[in-house]
Structures are given as structure tokens and as C-alpha cells.
Amino acid sequence: MGATSSSLSDLSSNEYLQKLAGTEAIDKIDPFWNQLLSFSFLIPINTSDSRILEEATSQISRNFAINNCHTGNFAALVHNFLIRATELKASAQCEDNIFIWQTYNALFIIRSLCKYFVEHLSEELLLQQFDCRANPADSDGESGDENESGDQMGLMAEDLMNSLIELLVDVPVLNFTYALHLESLNTLLVLLSIQMFQTQATSNFVLYRFMMQGKCAIHAPLLLKALLWNYINQEKCPAELYKGSEEGGSLIVHLTNSVASSLWSVVTLGMGQQEKKKEDEFTETLLANQSLLFILVLTNHCTSCDRGLHNPYREVLCSFLDSEDQSATQGPTHAVATFKIDFSKLYQTLCLTLRDDQTTLLLYLLIHRNPRVKDYLLSRTNIDHLVMPLLKILYQAMERNSHHIYMALIILLILSEDEVFNKAIHEITIKNVLWFKERPLTEVTLGGLLILVLIRTIQFNLSRMRDKYLHTNCLAALANMSSQFINLHPFVAQKIVSLFSQLCKKQSRLIDQISELATSAKQIENKTQENTEDKEDESALLLQDMNVLEEVIRMVLEIINSCLASSLHHNPNLIYTLLYQRDQFTLYRTHPTFQDIIQNIETVLNYFSAMLEKSGRSNLTPNEVLEYIKQGSVKFRRERLQKFPDLKFKYVEEDSPEEFFIPYIWSLVHQSSNMYFNPSRIILFSVGNSEAEGTLKLV
């Protein structure tokens, strides 16, 4: 290490690391620190590289954790970083690259050690690693600060976290500070990742109290603004950092080649010294990704005000304003400090990046919690730019995890609560939807495509996932939109009616199963009690499925009825399809659960059937039938239909949302942060058997 380059295989025997982890206390002003922080080796840029590095240095980290209790070398290292951090803003302004490089190196070592601490130590022992100081006067060799009161514990950890926040807020993101910003986010994520390895509630962690109150919390508005800007800007890893080396040049002037190479390899996160790579591998928006993950972590913990701990970051996220809207001001009684940001740029970035879990989660938080953002999104004339990625997520359900599907669906449900949205989606035409494979869709309204995807999601759920809440939310969104269904495409109309037919067939099969089970139960009446109880349990489950299925069928009928009652004259294709499939509805005419709603549909079908009979022609073409339907729709009197309550459903977040969101968000950090977290030590959620698959099952 030092001013020379080290490979991963050399790290375990590196003299500087051995001394850092050894039994000798190193004074915080010792020249050793400048030598240590002048290292050069390939910094990991993905999970695999991070794992290799961690395994190569595991023994050093273990020795360090043991010996630091006596040497206090970790506190000296953090001190060296904090001293440098106070001068970072000035260094960035005068482009002091060497200073920034050494600061980055210090932080990288701190993060690597903290990573070992959070995975192997309790929080109390972790904080002691910060507090330990070398004290030669102590005869037993123990730290003189280990007996500090609980209120004083971890103050250096708080100083470190606050310093990192100030760095993110105050130091501009430039080519030579990009990696430093990235490492600051990584370090904060690592410290807060203690939640993955401990069973206690978030509000009990000292590290989270540091973030949610005191000097860290003061920066909440500016920090959230900086993180959102990182996400909005989607800044790529600076191209000139790796292009400069390929061309034989360097960003740093008046330095030796070895030092220039070292800085470059650190700042580009090791990309420069690797073999030739494809250009698109350098387009990773690493800083945007880590900023987004950190936003999710900050805003979804400590949300229940448990133990008097409130979340200032969540408050800010729920209240920030549009910088381009001159009328956007907080009310006179609004006490939350906030900030302004350009909503148009935020909207554009959301539309362009809405393909992964973390972006979908951010959109959910914004649309559910920030009324100004929600109003802005709903006022967009190009709302299809936001809706289409959501539909693609649902359409590709086989390739997504259930939580991602669920969040995308909830966003659509929230949008469907707005009447203007429900009307606008039928006025936007979408052409050539390439990812829709059922049949070529050369032209369809956004509303029609939304109906198709929701119906497909219901069908997928009924056959595969059997998640009651998923199809309930799909049906709720369809119900909210049903009164505004206009000019439905023939294929859309067919899918609505075929959903009803599919459900009817499923119900018929269930009836047969229940009947067979009843017959079987009679035949084993005289057999063992255990067999009888098994049959009773099976019967109870089937009856439960039947009740759920009847609720779904009822909802589909109500959606069809709502469309007919509100916009019959705008939907000739739906009436045509209903007439064609009329026998399906006749079967339920006397069913006690459906007969009232079937009566309305029958009234409409009887009217149009009689009109077609009056034409005196039995060989009408489909186009002629549609023409008759259009003419008859104008004359149809709506008062002939029985009135039902308007179908209006509103999304309400479940009680104790942290139980869902905290494991989900940390599973995303585990999967998407490019850092390696040992799955065998994670207890917040269970990791699937195949790490390569990255499957996660929330506990």
C-alpha cells in the first residue's frame, strides 16, 4: 500500500494494514496516516468485487476489532478523516485533488471497518469501537473512555455521520468529488444497515437517534434536496476520469505518474486499471442509485413517533415545493422546514427511470405523501410517460418480485381516485405497444391498455399467486375508472367479458370440488376422526375460496354495470361483446348474490336484442350490428336501470407500514447497492438459496 499499488491478494499481508490492526497505538498526528492514505488498489464497484475484498481482509478486520479496544486506532483514523472533512469545501473549490484523494481513502477504510462492526458486533460494542482511546496511564491497558455514560456513548460516531451529511450538502458534485460523495453515502448506508443484523426496533438504535435528532437532523431539508438532485441529475461516473488514462493523460498536473494513477484508480472506483471495457459499462449512474436508496432508508424508519422519535426527513419529503411555481408557499401554520425543487425535472427523471423497485417506491412515497407532487403529476398532459412504465412492470409480473408488482399497482390505484385522470387516459392514444405480446396493438387508448394490463394481472394472480389483496386492488382501480370508460377497443371489451367468463368457469369447478368433497366425507364417516377433520379443513378452505371468488365476480359485474349506466352511448364495442356472450349472464339471473346487478345488464341486452330483431334481418354484418347499437344507444333511457352506489375506492396504507417497508427497503439495499452484505448474518429478511438469483423472502 502506501504510494504503491496493491492487489487484493496482497492486502492480508500489507504492512500498513497490519500495523493499523496491530497492538500498537498510533498517534493521530503520526506520519503513518499520510502513508496509509496514499494507497492504490482496485476499489470494488460491484457486489462480487466487494465480497472478494471483504474475504481478503477478514482476518485484518477481526484483529482490528479486538486490538482497537486497547489501541484506539479507529478513533485516530476517524479523527484524521474529520480534520480533512472540515477543509473539503475549500479543497473542492481550489481543486486540491491529492487532499480529496486521501480523504476518500480514509473514508473507504472507515466504511470497510464499520461494515465488519455492524455485521459482527452489537450496537453498544460498535459504538465502543469509536469511543476507545489509547491510554498509557491505564495499568490494565483498557480505554479510558469506555466507562463513559450512555448519553456520551458514540459521540464520535455522531460526529462522523454529521460530517458525512455536511459533505453531501456542502461539497459540490464534481468530477474529482464524485467518488467521495458516493463513499459518504455508502458509509451512512453501512452504519444504518445495523437494522439488517439486529432484532430490535429502529427507534432503539442509537445510530438512528443520531440521524433523526440533534445536529444531523438540522440538515434534513438540505440533505433531502441534495439527494433528490443527485437522483434527478442521474450523473454518470465522469467519463474523463477513465478516458484520460486510456489516452495517456491525467487530470492531475505536476504529480508523479504513480500518484496520478493512484488518484485516478480511486476516484473512478477501480474502473481505470481494469481491462478494456465497453463504453456502456461506464454509464452507470452510481451516485443517483445510492442517493435514492438512502432517501428510502431515511424516510421509512422511525415513522411511528415511537419513544418520542419523529422523522424530519419524512416530513421534508412530504412537504417540499415546486421551485417553478411562484404560488407554491407553505401555509402560515406550517412549521416544517422544507425546500423547493424543479417538479418538471423530477417528473422527467421519474418517467425515464421507472423500471426498478427503488424508483417505484420513491414514486409511491411522493404520490401518497406529498399532495403537491401528486397534484403536479395528475395535471400532466403527457401522463402516459408515467403510466406506461408502470403498466410494463405489471405486464412483466413473471420477471418481478411480488412487492414491486404491489407497489406499481397501488400507484395506479391512487391515480385512479382522480376523475380527471380517469377521463384523460381515454383521450391519449398509444401506438405500437411492443412489449404487449397477446396480440398486436397498433393503436389503443392509454385507458384501454390500462384495463388490459389490470385484467391480465388479475388472471395471473388467480392462476399463480392467489393473493387476495392484489386482485382486490386491481378491481378497485378498474371500478374507480369504470364510469369513465369511453370508446373501448373491441379487444378491451372482449377481455372484460372474458374475465367474467373465466371466473364463472372457476366457480363451476369449485362447486364440483365442494360436491365431491361432501360425497367423500359421507363415505368416511365411520373411519378415523383424523380423516374426518382433514376433510373438514379442506372443505372450509374451498368454501373460503368460493366466498372470495363470488366477491370478485360481483365486482366485475358492478364494473360492467357502472360503464353501461354512465357511458353506454360511448361503448358500442362493449355492448356488442355482451350480446355475443349473453348466455354467460343468463346463468346468473337467479343467483342471490348477483341477480340485482344482472337485472340491469339484462335490461340493456334485452333492449338491444329487441332492436336488432325489429330490423327484420338475420344476417347482419358486425359493422351493421355496431351501427344499430350506436343508433339505439342515443335513444336508450338510463332511468330504466336500477341505481347503484358509485364505485369509489380509496387506498389506505396498512397499519404499521414499517413492518412491510423496512425489510423491503433493506432487501433492495442488499440487492442493488453494489455492496456485499453477508447473507448468513442477515436476520431482517431471509435470502433465497441462490445468491445469484437474488431472491428475497421477507420475514
Side-chain angles (χ1 to χ4, degrees):
M1 208 166 267
T4 61
S5 179
S6 297
S7 68
L8 291 178
S9 59
D10 297 332
L11 289 179
S12 59
S13 58
N14 182 276
E15 61 176 305
Y16 291 93
L17 290 181
Q18 291 284 1
K19 183 174 181 179
L20 177 67
T23 57
E24 177 188 347
I26 307 169
D27 192 278
K28 58 190 177 185
I29 60 172
D30 193 293
F32 165 83
W33 297 109
N34 281 331
Q35 296 170 329
L36 174 71
L37 301 181
S38 298
F39 67 83
S40 167
F41 69 96
L42 297 183
I43 301 298
I45 60 171
N46 55 46
T47 304
S48 298
D49 290 346
S50 297
R51 180 174 184 172
I52 293 171
L53 174 64
E54 187 168 312
E55 290 174 349
T57 58
S58 59
Q59 188 59 50
I60 290 176
S61 298
R62 190 178 298 112
N63 292 342
F64 184 91
I66 295 170
N67 294 328
N68 181 61
C69 297
H70 308 286
T71 65
N73 285 344
F74 189 61
L77 173 62
V78 173
H79 172 82
N80 269 271
F81 169 78
L82 293 175
I83 291 297
R84 286 171 166 80
T86 58
E87 303 175 30
L88 274 175
K89 192 171 183 181
S91 299
Q93 289 172 346
C94 64
E95 301 190 15
D96 187 347
N97 296 287
I98 293 296
F99 185 85
I100 291 172
W101 163 44
Q102 291 188 329
T103 307
Y104 173 90
N105 287 348
L107 186 54
F108 177 76
I109 299 174
I110 290 170
R111 192 253 291 186
S112 300
L113 292 170
C114 286
K115 173 73 168 44
Y116 181 86
F117 297 158
V118 298
E119 289 190 358
H120 294 84
L121 304 178
S122 67
E123 187 185 41
E124 182 179 1
L125 292 177
L126 182 154
L127 294 174
Q128 284 180 12
Q129 292 287 334
F130 282 90
D131 295 334
C132 291
R133 306 287 191 277
N135 191 344
D138 254 354
S139 58
D140 59 4
E142 291 191 4
S143 165
D145 290 344
E146 283 188 315
N147 296 322
E148 289 181 299
S149 69
D151 292 339
Q152 298 296 311
M153 180 179 290
L155 289 184
M156 180 165 275
E158 184 179 18
D159 288 341
L160 173 63
M161 296 172 80
N162 184 62
S163 177
L164 295 176
I165 292 172
E166 289 180 344
L167 187 157
L168 293 168
V169 168
D170 295 333
V171 177
V173 178
L174 304 168
N175 288 343
F176 52 88
T177 63
Y178 187 99
L180 192 57
H181 275 263
L182 190 61
E183 193 57 39
S184 297
L185 289 167
N186 286 342
T187 305
L188 288 166
L189 283 169
V190 162
L191 286 169
L192 296 182
S193 72
I194 193 170
Q195 178 73 79
M196 284 199 283
F197 309 100
Q198 307 286 336
T199 56
Q200 61 184 334
T202 305
S203 57
N204 293 332
F205 287 112
V206 175
L207 292 171
Y208 278 90
R209 292 207 295 273
F210 287 159
M211 284 301 302
M212 300 299 164
Q213 60 191 19
K215 52 189 176 183
C216 290
I218 293 172
H219 303 290
L222 292 177
L223 176 59
L224 256 293
K225 183 176 184 179
L227 295 173
L228 270 178
W229 268 124
N230 288 345
Y231 165 69
I232 290 170
N233 289 336
Q234 292 289 305
E235 190 168 342
K236 299 173 185 176
C237 223
E240 56 266 34
L241 292 176
Y242 58 86
K243 285 181 179 176
S245 176
E246 291 172 357
E247 295 164 2
S250 172
L251 290 175
I252 304 175
V253 217
H254 308 309
L255 295 176
T256 65
N257 289 335
S258 63
V259 176
S261 175
S262 300
L263 169 62
W264 169 65
S265 68
V266 171
V267 176
T268 58
L269 307 179
M271 293 188 290
Q273 293 183 9
Q274 299 184 42
E275 295 299 319
K276 290 183 180 178
K277 287 176 169 255
K278 295 179 181 177
E279 186 74 11
D280 58 4
E281 290 191 44
F282 295 108
T283 62
E284 287 289 335
T285 52
L286 299 172
L287 186 60
N289 181 67
Q290 302 305 79
S291 296
L292 177 52
L293 289 172
F294 193 44
I295 289 172
L296 296 178
V297 168
L298 285 177
T299 56
N300 284 280
H301 290 75
C302 305
T303 60
S304 59
C305 295
D306 189 26
R307 298 185 64 185
L309 199 63
H310 77 282
N311 188 324
Y313 309 96
R314 191 176 180 88
E315 290 180 356
V316 169
L317 190 75
C318 297
S319 59
F320 70 87
L321 309 171
D322 185 4
S323 60
E324 301 302 303
D325 183 1
Q326 301 303 319
S327 64
T329 57
Q330 291 180 301
T333 60
H334 207 300
V336 177
T338 189
F339 62 89
K340 291 186 176 183
I341 208 163
D342 190 336
F343 278 15
S344 65
K345 292 182 178 178
L346 175 61
Y347 177 73
Q348 183 180 14
T349 304
L350 285 168
C351 294
L352 291 173
T353 61
L354 194 53
R355 53 184 173 269
D356 53 37
D357 290 72
Q358 47 266 41
T359 307
T360 308
L361 256 180
L362 175 64
L363 177 58
Y364 164 78
L365 285 171
L366 293 176
I367 203 169
H368 181 50
R369 293 292 180 179
N370 192 316
R372 294 170 183 83
V373 173
K374 179 181 178 181
D375 290 344
Y376 181 87
L377 297 181
L378 288 168
S379 69
R380 297 306 88 199
T381 56
N382 61 345
I383 191 68
D384 54 303
H385 291 186
L386 188 74
V387 173
M388 288 294 286
L390 292 169
L391 296 183
K392 189 175 181 181
I393 291 169
L394 291 180
Y395 187 84
Q396 297 174 340
M398 290 283 289
E399 304 168 18
R400 310 282 179 172
N401 66 72
S402 59
H403 291 77
H404 196 187
I405 298 168
Y406 192 64
M407 296 314 303
L409 180 56
I410 289 174
I411 293 169
L412 290 172
L413 175 57
I414 294 172
L415 292 172
S416 74
E417 295 168 11
D418 185 81
E419 289 295 322
V420 175
F421 171 82
N422 294 335
K423 182 179 179 183
I425 56 176
H426 290 285
E427 297 171 351
I428 298 174
T429 301
I430 305 296
K431 296 184 179 181
N432 300 318
V433 186
L434 299 179
W435 48 261
F436 191 88
K437 304 298 184 182
E438 268 71 1
R439 58 162 284 176
L441 283 179
T442 54
E443 189 170 302
V444 67
T445 64
L446 179 62
L449 184 61
L450 178 48
I451 295 167
L452 288 175
V453 173
L454 288 176
I455 288 175
R456 186 177 185 274
T457 305
I458 294 170
Q459 293 170 329
F460 170 77
N461 181 55
L462 289 172
S463 63
R464 302 286 182 87
M465 296 169 66
R466 298 170 63 83
D467 182 340
K468 177 183 177 181
Y469 294 103
L470 191 64
H471 66 244
T472 297
N473 284 320
C474 283
L475 290 167
L478 287 170
N480 284 344
M481 298 184 292
S482 60
S483 63
Q484 299 280 359
F485 286 175
I486 294 174
N487 298 324
L488 293 178
H489 189 282
F491 184 61
V492 177
Q494 290 167 22
K495 281 296 183 180
I496 293 173
V497 178
S498 68
L499 174 61
F500 175 73
S501 299
Q502 179 185 351
L503 294 169
C504 293
K505 291 175 183 176
K506 190 175 181 68
Q507 187 194 38
S508 178
R509 289 195 298 270
L510 261 180
I511 292 172
D512 290 342
Q513 285 180 270
I514 293 170
S515 177
E516 290 172 6
L517 197 62
T519 303
S520 176
K522 286 182 180 179
Q523 293 173 351
I524 63 167
E525 271 183 354
N526 298 325
K527 296 187 178 180
T528 64
Q529 180 70 23
E530 183 179 349
N531 286 340
T532 304
E533 289 176 354
D534 288 344
K535 292 294 181 182
E536 288 176 352
D537 291 343
E538 189 177 347
S539 179
L541 288 173
L542 288 175
L543 288 172
Q544 185 178 342
D545 286 348
M546 177 64 77
N547 291 333
V548 170
L549 189 57
E550 287 188 351
E551 290 176 8
V552 173
I553 293 173
R554 170 80 189 190
M555 181 68 79
V556 172
L557 289 172
E558 288 183 350
I559 289 167
I560 294 172
N561 177 71
S562 173
C563 176
L564 294 176
S566 303
S567 52
L568 178 146
H569 56 296
H570 287 305
N571 287 293
N573 289 318
L574 178 61
I575 297 170
Y576 180 96
T577 307
L578 290 170
L579 285 169
Y580 190 76
Q581 299 281 348
R582 184 172 184 177
D583 290 347
Q584 289 286 342
F585 298 91
T586 305
L587 294 172
Y588 289 87
R589 186 183 298 161
T590 58
H591 195 294
T593 305
F594 313 125
Q595 61 183 3
D596 57 339
I597 204 85
I598 287 288
Q599 184 179 341
N600 263 10
I601 296 173
E602 283 280 291
T603 299
V604 172
L605 297 182
N606 287 337
Y607 168 81
F608 284 101
S609 293
M611 184 192 64
L612 291 171
E613 288 176 6
K614 285 180 183 178
S615 70
R617 296 176 56 189
S618 59
N619 58 345
L620 291 170
T621 66
N623 286 337
E624 288 173 332
V625 173
L626 280 172
E627 191 58 38
Y628 273 105
I629 290 173
K630 291 175 183 177
Q631 294 172 8
S633 298
V634 178
K635 300 175 184 178
F636 184 82
R637 291 181 290 110
R638 295 184 187 178
E639 56 268 23
R640 297 174 61 182
L641 301 178
Q642 180 183 344
K643 289 188 177 181
F644 288 86
D646 291 340
L647 296 179
K648 297 294 178 187
F649 294 88
K650 189 174 180 64
Y651 168 71
V652 178
E653 196 170 74
E654 294 281 342
D655 294 334
S656 305
E658 285 190 2
E659 294 178 6
F660 172 85
F661 287 107
I662 289 179
Y664 182 26
I665 288 166
W666 281 112
S667 74
L668 297 181
V669 173
H670 176 268
Q671 288 176 325
S672 309
S673 66
N674 297 306
M675 292 188 286
Y676 173 72
F677 293 95
N678 189 340
S680 67
R681 307 198 71 88
I682 294 174
I683 62 175
L684 182 62
F685 51 85
S686 61
V687 184
N689 293 329
S690 171
E691 287 184 46
E693 294 175 2
T695 53
L696 290 138
K697 224 180 210 180
L698 304 191
V699 178

